[in-house]
Amino acid sequence: MNEAEFIEISDFMNLLADRSKVITLEGFNSNLTLKVKDDGSPVTDYDINSEKTLREIISAKFPNHNIIAEEMGFTSNNSDYTWIIDPIDGTRSYVIGRPLWGTLISLAFKGEPIIGMADFPALDERWIGYKNKCLLNNAAFKKNYKSITSISEATVGSTGPHLFSEIGKQKYETLIKKAKYHVWSGDCHNYCLVIKGGLDLVVEEGLSSYDILPLIPILKSKDIIVTDWKSKKINLKNDLFSKYSVVVARDKNIHDTAINYMN
């Protein structure tokens, strides 16, 4: 992707996020009708309506591209390009009025996410990442971090214990006993807190492709380390509905320490 293509795709992503934002903010802090999916996770009409709208806009502009999203699954056009969408990541936060939910959008080429967006409508915060470009509300994001290289100095976060397997939870609990501070909750916003400097490490298990892949280009644009628990690169898997275990850290020593504890 060259600079002109980046501008075209990022402008298109902003359009997608703007359209989704109108839909999702209408339902936020309202009397929601909540449904529970087969996997036990909640869904609202606003999740579904947002995804329908995004799919329609993408299909109109890029009719040959694939789409994978949380509510309606995979649409294959045998393309090397795949749009990955989570209309409301953090629906539990959304339904209780906590503003940390976000809309995640990514374009992947041959399984590798090349540009990603995380939009937080209730926070008026929008991130885009591509190569070494990290944009917050369409302006370059720059941050000087305090040098933290030890797990004993680190603040660690994860969405919740319900996402971990029993073995994974035991390993994670051992890890966080070594940390300076630990927080539950935060959903996809936790990853942006690693960029901002509020968190030093995020560890999660049981994620779907649309939960993590859109965030990867944003994180990598600030040289943040993103791997699975085996320290391997994360791409879209051939089994599109596989689950992902993730370690995200600014510092390599902290990342490697987490890998050791989670294996």
Side-chain angles (χ1 to χ4, degrees):
M1 184 184 294
N2 58 36
E3 184 68 18
E5 290 169 329
F6 163 71
I7 292 171
E8 178 188 5
I9 295 298
S10 61
D11 285 349
F12 181 64
M13 283 184 157
N14 276 311
L15 169 66
L16 293 173
D18 287 344
R19 292 290 297 275
S20 178
K21 184 175 183 176
V22 171
I23 296 168
T24 56
L25 282 180
E26 180 184 343
F28 187 54
N29 281 326
S30 68
N31 293 321
L32 292 167
T33 300
L34 183 65
K35 303 171 186 174
V36 179
K37 295 186 284 189
D38 291 341
D39 64 1
S41 63
V43 64
T44 71
D45 288 342
Y46 296 95
D47 297 76
I48 295 167
N49 291 340
S50 172
E51 183 176 318
K52 282 182 179 177
T53 298
L54 297 181
R55 282 177 173 272
E56 288 170 0
I57 297 170
I58 292 168
S59 295
K61 186 171 179 64
F62 300 105
N64 296 322
H65 286 190
N66 309 322
I67 301 173
I68 184 169
E70 180 171 11
E71 307 307 337
M72 298 168 212
F74 183 54
T75 300
S76 175
N77 289 304
N78 296 314
S79 174
D80 287 335
Y81 289 96
T82 302
W83 290 88
I84 304 166
I85 304 166
D86 192 344
I88 300 178
D89 182 278
T91 302
R92 287 181 174 87
S93 289
Y94 181 76
V95 299
I96 66 170
R98 185 166 52 198
L100 301 180
W101 54 276
T103 298
L104 304 180
I105 304 169
S106 181
L107 178 62
F109 178 68
K110 294 185 176 180
E112 180 174 0
I114 54 176
I115 181 170
M117 170 182 280
D119 187 49
F120 300 92
L123 299 176
D124 196 25
E125 185 175 308
R126 182 175 296 175
W127 297 85
I128 296 177
Y130 166 70
K131 291 187 176 179
N132 64 347
K133 295 180 185 291
C134 182
L135 305 180
L136 174 58
N137 294 339
N138 290 318
F141 180 77
K142 298 179 181 179
K143 176 82 174 183
N144 293 321
Y145 302 107
K146 180 182 177 182
S147 179
I148 294 176
T149 60
S150 169
I151 192 67
S152 63
E153 302 174 277
T155 301
V156 185
S158 191
T159 295
H162 65 284
L163 289 174
F164 286 92
S165 64
E166 194 58 40
I167 294 174
K169 183 164 61 174
Q170 291 171 8
K171 292 178 178 180
Y172 184 69
E173 287 173 347
T174 302
L175 168 66
I176 61 178
K177 287 177 182 176
K178 304 296 182 180
K180 179 180 179 180
Y181 189 58
H182 172 260
V183 292
W184 289 116
S185 187
D187 302 302
C188 54
H189 196 255
N190 279 346
Y191 297 94
C192 297
L193 289 178
V194 178
I195 301 173
K196 285 183 166 184
L199 289 176
D200 303 296
L201 173 67
V202 174
V203 178
E204 296 199 294
E205 186 180 15
L207 301 184
S208 297
S209 59
Y210 39 76
D211 295 320
I212 184 61
L213 266 69
L215 293 156
I216 291 175
I218 307 170
L219 294 162
K220 286 188 173 180
S221 72
K222 298 303 292 181
D223 295 322
I224 289 166
I225 304 165
V226 185
T227 72
D228 66 12
W229 287 7
K230 299 297 183 183
S231 203
K232 294 182 179 179
K233 183 177 180 179
I234 297 174
N235 281 338
L236 188 62
K237 297 178 181 179
N238 290 331
D239 179 355
L240 297 173
F241 300 100
S242 293
K243 296 297 183 179
Y244 296 74
S245 300
V246 179
V247 175
V248 171
R250 284 198 311 276
D251 178 78
K252 187 177 186 303
N253 288 333
I254 291 174
H255 172 270
D256 291 350
T257 299
I259 292 292
N260 288 336
Y261 274 96
M262 300 312 296
N263 282 285

